[in-house]
Amino acid sequence: MPSRTVENYLKSILMISINKNCVEVPMGMIAESLKVTPGTATSMVKNLQKEKWLNYKARKGVTLTGSGKKIGMRMIRRHRLIETFLVETLGLDWSEIHEEAEELEHSISDKVLEKLDVFLGNPQFDPHGHPIPSKSGVIRRLSQKSLLDCKVGKKMKIESILDQRTEFLNFAKNKSLMPGNIIKILKYQKIADTVEVQVEKKPKFSLGFNSADKIMVSG
Amino acid sequence: MPSRTVENYLKSILMISINKNCVEVPMGMIAESLKVTPGTATSMVKNLQKEKWLNYKARKGVTLTGSGKKIGMRMIRRHRLIETFLVETLGLDWSEIHEEAEELEHSISDKVLEKLDVFLGNPQFDPHGHPIPSKSGVIRRLSQKSLLDCKVGKKMKIESILDQRTEFLNFAKNKSLMPGNIIKILKYQKIADTVEVQVEKKPKFSLGFNSADKIMVSG
DNA sequence: TTATAGACTTTGATTAATCAAAATTAAAAT
DNA sequence: ATTTTAATTTTGATTAATCAAAGTCTATAA
């Protein structure tokens, strides 16, 4: 019933509110995340409000309603299950699956999606370490601790990577920055805004604060 | 580059020209097969001509160019490979896969499609018995002989089913009218336009001429 | 030959999604 | 208390795909 454009808006808004942990999502972020002009986002959001998928306050931002959240969560589930399928079953590289899933998440029927879920053995996390929402829209809380929040010298387990860009994921893979691996901060250099890290027994390397903040860890 | 609407037009036109064995495809058939009004088909076909995907002669019909045929064939390959995947891998029923594939054929990247092809072991026929075009667009000639062209009493092998409608395929499956099975005409009743048939050792039953003509056979 | 039915084309309108650029507003800086 | 800036909204246009309904052909039947 919702068009694929609507599905994209609701998913993006939900993702922003989860990632930035905010209730009211500002218009600018929506426009940026969907790569449309601000005016387009405003007019679309007004339509979404008419359909009761969200509440919009001019110059404040947007909050999803229950039904809007449901659709958004459904899209996240689809996206992550499809990514898992592409890596596990077809053997695509984890750095190249995002765009694929972005398209397929709109095209697969509920029936096929649930078959896929069973075929994959009800996976709980996608290849980037992100939790896959259940059919009913429940999602495990992801770790709120990034590499930046860690003490120097403490061994941490990488939980997930909060960046979808192919180039970043290629870099991450190259450096073994992948879910499950053990990472340690060797030096914390505030002045240069970098941290020096080591993954498993691999050679050490540096990460900028922005990048380090995208590596979520636990333990 | 071509939109999914364009892909659908070119696929439909190619399918009609293959099935009806005609060079010039009349506008009426195009409109019917795509479920649009005749006026819509006319205006769309004019656009396709501008892009050099076909030649259009007013009140005569349409013939695909080389590039149009290529795109159409690409879509047939995608459709049939996806149908095969849905049945073989995910275990969907062969009568419910057409609509799914109709959507997915536009969404899958070339890369994923070729991975799928390898994963499935380069299948040569889809679950309905239709030949899957090769990557380069070559398609095996399908049997031109339908059940209606057979002698009474002669055992024939079912090659394919030329009807995509869910209800027909459900009926066919129920009666074991599936590729590979052996079928025999018991009686040919021109006056009632029915044939009485038997598949393998199953109970005999009747088929109207129209339906019998959709069961392609060999041997 | 003329009439007519059926196939096809034209015309004018609509819808969803978008952009560019001008106008507005709220917050921050002076 | 102004001014400036940055974010947002408004306005007016555009594009692809569609429909309904009116108009036009052409082949067949009278």
Side-chain angles (χ1 to χ4, degrees):
Chain A
M1 207 156 334
S3 69
R4 58 181 59 207
T5 308
V6 169
E7 290 180 339
N8 279 333
Y9 274 78
L10 295 175
K11 186 185 71 165
S12 285
I13 294 166
L14 179 58
M15 295 270 296
I16 295 168
S17 78
I18 289 175
N19 290 338
K20 309 268 154 157
N21 217 43
C22 59
V23 187
E24 247 170 7
V25 178
M27 297 306 294
M29 283 187 178
I30 298 172
E32 194 207 338
S33 128
L34 289 158
K35 298 191 180 91
V36 295
T37 60
T40 301
T42 301
S43 85
M44 193 63 198
V45 151
K46 285 179 175 177
N47 295 334
L48 298 181
Q49 168 154 265
K50 273 196 208 111
E51 304 288 340
K52 302 260 176 63
W53 284 317
L54 50 74
N55 292 302
Y56 162 64
K57 280 194 210 143
R59 305 198 131 91
K60 289 287 172 208
V62 139
T63 57
L64 292 181
T65 62
S67 66
K69 223 173 279 173
K70 196 169 159 195
I71 295 173
M73 203 58 95
R74 175 168 175 271
M75 298 317 292
I76 294 177
R77 171 173 167 79
R78 298 175 146 254
H79 186 97
R80 294 181 178 172
L81 268 175
I82 290 165
E83 284 196 343
T84 307
F85 167 75
L86 293 174
V87 170
E88 301 276 304
T89 308
L90 297 187
L92 269 84
D93 199 286
W94 81 318
S95 60
E96 57 188 0
I97 56 183
H98 181 69
E99 310 306 319
E100 295 281 354
E102 206 65 6
E103 180 65 32
L104 286 170
E105 64 191 15
H106 306 291
S107 309
I108 281 188
S109 72
D110 285 340
K111 184 159 200 172
V112 168
L113 194 85
E114 298 317 319
K115 291 264 184 187
L116 217 47
D117 187 30
V118 171
F119 178 77
L120 293 168
N122 296 100
Q124 301 299 299
F125 295 91
D126 78 7
H128 305 121
H130 303 145
I132 298 174
S134 73
K135 201 180 168 184
S136 59
V138 178
I139 188 169
R140 274 157 296 284
R141 198 88 204 83
L142 29 70
S143 169
Q144 288 299 110
K145 192 177 211 172
S146 87
L147 204 50
L148 263 198
D149 308 314
C150 296
K151 286 199 214 108
V152 173
K154 179 138 199 256
K155 284 184 181 169
M156 308 297 292
K157 190 167 91 184
I158 299 177
E159 291 290 333
S160 63
I161 310 294
L162 296 189
D163 196 317
Q164 303 283 19
R165 290 168 311 163
T166 306
E167 324 86 71
F168 187 83
L169 293 170
N170 265 327
F171 165 78
K173 184 182 143 204
N174 190 252
K175 296 296 189 186
S176 297
L177 287 170
M178 295 167 84
N181 288 350
I182 302 300
I183 191 170
K184 192 168 69 170
I185 298 192
L186 303 174
K187 266 192 219 158
Y188 183 92
Q189 303 166 293
K190 194 166 189 182
I191 191 63
D193 79 282
T194 63
V195 287
E196 194 170 76
V197 301
Q198 184 176 31
V199 182
E200 311 268 330
K201 301 288 179 206
K202 303 263 160 53
K204 59 191 180 178
F205 62 95
S206 285
L207 276 175
F209 276 15
N210 289 339
S211 298
D213 207 32
K214 301 218 173 110
I215 314 298
M216 307 309 286
V217 298
S218 72
Chain B
M1 207 156 334
S3 69
R4 58 181 59 205
T5 308
V6 168
E7 290 180 338
N8 278 333
Y9 274 79
L10 295 175
K11 187 185 71 165
S12 285
I13 294 166
L14 179 58
M15 296 270 293
I16 295 168
S17 78
I18 290 175
N19 290 337
K20 309 267 153 157
N21 218 42
C22 59
V23 187
E24 246 170 9
V25 178
M27 297 305 295
M29 283 188 179
I30 298 173
E32 195 206 340
S33 128
L34 289 159
K35 297 188 180 93
V36 295
T37 60
T40 300
T42 301
S43 84
M44 192 64 199
V45 151
K46 284 178 175 176
N47 295 333
L48 298 181
Q49 168 153 268
K50 272 196 210 113
E51 304 288 338
K52 302 261 177 64
W53 283 317
L54 50 74
N55 292 302
Y56 162 63
K57 279 193 210 141
R59 286 169 214 276
K60 287 285 171 210
V62 138
T63 57
L64 292 181
T65 63
S67 65
K69 222 172 279 174
K70 198 169 157 195
I71 295 173
M73 203 59 94
R74 175 169 175 271
M75 298 317 291
I76 294 178
R77 171 173 166 81
R78 299 176 143 252
H79 186 99
R80 293 181 179 172
L81 269 176
I82 291 166
E83 284 195 341
T84 306
F85 167 75
L86 293 174
V87 169
E88 301 277 304
T89 308
L90 297 188
L92 270 83
D93 200 287
W94 80 318
S95 60
E96 57 188 1
I97 55 182
H98 180 69
E99 310 306 319
E100 297 280 354
E102 205 66 7
E103 180 65 32
L104 285 170
E105 64 192 14
H106 305 291
S107 309
I108 281 187
S109 73
D110 285 340
K111 184 159 200 172
V112 169
L113 195 86
E114 298 317 319
K115 291 264 185 188
L116 217 47
D117 187 31
V118 170
F119 178 77
L120 293 168
N122 296 99
Q124 301 299 299
F125 295 91
D126 78 7
H128 306 121
H130 303 145
I132 299 175
S134 73
K135 199 178 170 185
S136 59
V138 178
I139 189 169
R140 273 158 296 283
R141 199 86 203 83
L142 29 69
S143 168
Q144 288 300 108
K145 191 178 212 172
S146 88
L147 203 49
L148 263 196
D149 308 314
C150 296
K151 285 200 214 107
V152 173
K154 179 138 200 254
K155 283 183 182 170
M156 307 298 290
K157 189 167 92 185
I158 300 176
E159 292 290 334
S160 63
I161 311 293
L162 296 189
D163 196 317
Q164 303 281 21
R165 290 169 310 164
T166 306
E167 324 85 71
F168 187 83
L169 292 171
N170 265 326
F171 165 79
K173 184 182 143 204
N174 190 253
K175 297 296 190 186
S176 297
L177 287 170
M178 295 166 84
N181 288 350
I182 301 301
I183 191 169
K184 192 168 68 169
I185 298 191
L186 303 173
K187 264 191 219 160
Y188 183 92
Q189 301 166 294
K190 192 165 190 182
I191 190 66
D193 80 284
T194 63
V195 287
E196 194 170 76
V197 302
Q198 185 176 30
V199 182
E200 311 268 328
K201 300 290 179 206
K202 303 262 160 52
K204 60 193 180 179
F205 62 94
S206 285
L207 276 175
F209 275 17
N210 288 338
S211 297
D213 207 31
K214 302 217 172 111
I215 314 297
M216 306 310 283
V217 298
S218 72

